[in-house]
Amino acid sequence: REKKFISSVSEQAADFFASSFTGSDFETLILRSHLWVERQLEKIIENSVNKPNRILESRFNFSNKLAVVRALVETDKNKNLFLLVDSLNKIRNQMAHNIENDKLQVLIKKLNSDIILGENNQLEDESTQKLKITLAQMYGVLIAINEVIVLEKEGETITFVG
């Protein structure tokens, strides 16, 4: 039996993610997104290896989890996704350790070249929406990757549509 809803799952997750951050400021968007994305990385690990706790309980940080997930599921087709996830992590780390607008702007451009960070790390409405969409798409694709892993473990054949 073929499952043809992965693209739909991804879109639904992205829509939910985007709508859940109505009115959020830049820092909140980045911090929440980082947490949500990290949880998806953990789910991919949980569903991909025999003993996920050996990884997840060993003080792995975001970068370590990302490296494991990349080793497990990265392909030429999804490579850009993981570059975006890495950029999100670098933005979050830059915010946590030293908020320098110039460095943040360079990192944000890696997520979406149309996003402009203003004074005091504020985004204009248009840039806020673009950031939300970019983060939502990233999150949605990670959910879809995890869903594929789960379905394949159950013996399902996956067909991508969309």
Side-chain angles (χ1 to χ4, degrees):
R1 198 169 61 144
E2 293 183 357
K3 298 285 184 176
K4 296 185 178 184
F5 65 90
I6 299 303
S7 291
S8 176
V9 168
S10 183
E11 289 174 26
Q12 290 174 32
D15 289 344
F16 172 79
F17 188 75
S19 67
S20 69
F21 291 116
T22 304
S24 294
D25 62 62
F26 170 72
E27 290 181 7
T28 302
L29 280 171
I30 295 298
L31 294 174
R32 284 185 182 173
S33 299
H34 192 270
L35 290 171
W36 284 40
V37 166
E38 184 169 21
R39 182 62 190 123
Q40 284 307 310
L41 295 175
E42 291 169 355
K43 285 183 176 184
I44 291 169
I45 292 168
E46 288 169 2
N47 290 308
S48 298
V49 299
N50 290 332
K51 297 195 184 265
N53 289 343
R54 302 257 186 201
I55 295 170
L56 298 175
E57 293 176 0
S58 64
R59 297 186 186 190
F60 267 37
N61 62 26
F62 189 101
S63 291
N64 299 132
K65 292 172 191 173
L66 177 58
V68 169
V69 169
R70 289 180 85 167
L72 292 168
V73 301
E74 184 177 276
T75 66
D76 288 340
K77 290 182 180 180
N78 66 20
K79 184 178 182 179
N80 191 50
L81 165 69
F82 295 108
L83 295 174
L84 293 175
V85 172
D86 186 54
S87 293
L88 172 63
N89 189 47
K90 288 176 180 174
I91 291 167
R92 183 250 168 237
N93 288 342
Q94 181 66 27
M95 286 173 40
H97 300 291
N98 186 13
I99 299 179
E100 290 183 33
N101 190 291
D102 292 342
K103 286 184 181 179
L104 280 176
Q105 187 62 58
V106 169
L107 292 169
I108 289 167
K109 292 285 185 192
K110 291 181 180 183
L111 281 179
N112 183 324
S113 61
D114 294 330
I115 298 171
I116 299 169
L117 189 61
E119 290 183 30
N120 300 318
N121 297 331
Q122 296 301 313
L123 296 169
E124 295 180 13
D125 288 343
E126 190 174 312
S127 285
T128 299
Q129 192 60 25
K130 288 175 182 176
L131 178 61
K132 287 179 183 181
I133 290 167
T134 299
L135 295 170
Q137 289 170 337
M138 178 190 313
Y139 183 72
V141 173
L142 287 170
I143 286 175
I145 288 171
N146 185 56
E147 194 65 25
V148 166
I149 292 166
V150 170
L151 291 170
E152 287 178 340
K153 281 175 73 172
E154 295 172 353
E156 298 289 346
T157 301
I158 310 301
T159 302
F160 289 94
V161 179

